Amino acid sequence: AAVPNILILTTADFPPFNYRDKTGELIGFNVDLARAICADLSITCTIQAWPWEQAGKALADGQGDALIAGLAMTPDNGVLFDFTNIYLMLPGRFVTPKGVVATFDPYKLAGKVIAVRKGSAHDDFVRRYLPDSQVGEYDSETAALEAVRDKKADLYFGDAMRASFWLNDNPDCCAFAGDPYFRPDLFGEG
């Protein structure tokens, strides 16, 4: 049977994926993707923004037909929802002061202080694969990145997306160094 309308839920607080522009219109990569899917299927879709902490529950309660947002593919969520194919994976990345980027060598990090968010998968990665380095633990990605900026750590390793937002706000300080590390077993499946 024809589908009359699909209600797609998202959030409005996670640029560049889903957020409101200056006029209040819901925009972003996920919003554009949802609209393209609906256009390709020739169906009418409504996209509705929910607070992040309520979006998954709203979908589970039948208040929408689909959710397009960064919902983790956990076993608990797998019981409640079906997931599409992965369309975005978030790698781990090193961030160094700008003057170090050109000479950065991931094989020469012995003795370097690497700032990480305490207890994160990135913390685990550094401890497991860079045992000759020193781990600087911080309560948040922002605090870890600020440690590099403030010269309390030599470099940062963590979530590339969060780091990119911070780098946009601190363009004179630091930059990504080296290649991205895609490790679904550690950093999530996407």
Side-chain angles (χ1 to χ4, degrees), residues 59-135:
L59 180 62
D61 291 345
Q63 296 183 54
D65 300 303
L67 173 67
I68 189 160
L71 188 65
M73 294 174 66
T74 64
D76 289 343
N77 284 337
V79 170
L80 297 172
F81 309 114
D82 290 326
F83 287 88
T84 64
N85 289 337
I86 297 166
Y87 66 91
L88 175 68
M89 291 186 73
L90 302 174
R93 290 294 305 262
F94 286 105
V95 171
T96 66
K98 279 195 166 182
V100 178
V101 171
T103 59
F104 174 78
D105 184 342
Y107 297 103
K108 296 182 179 175
L109 299 179
K112 301 283 186 187
V113 177
I114 303 174
V116 297
R117 181 174 53 87
K118 181 173 43 179
S120 68
H122 303 96
D123 184 352
D124 183 45
F125 179 92
V126 170
R127 290 177 192 282
R128 186 184 305 179
Y129 297 107
L130 302 170
D132 296 332
S133 66
Q134 298 175 37
V135 177

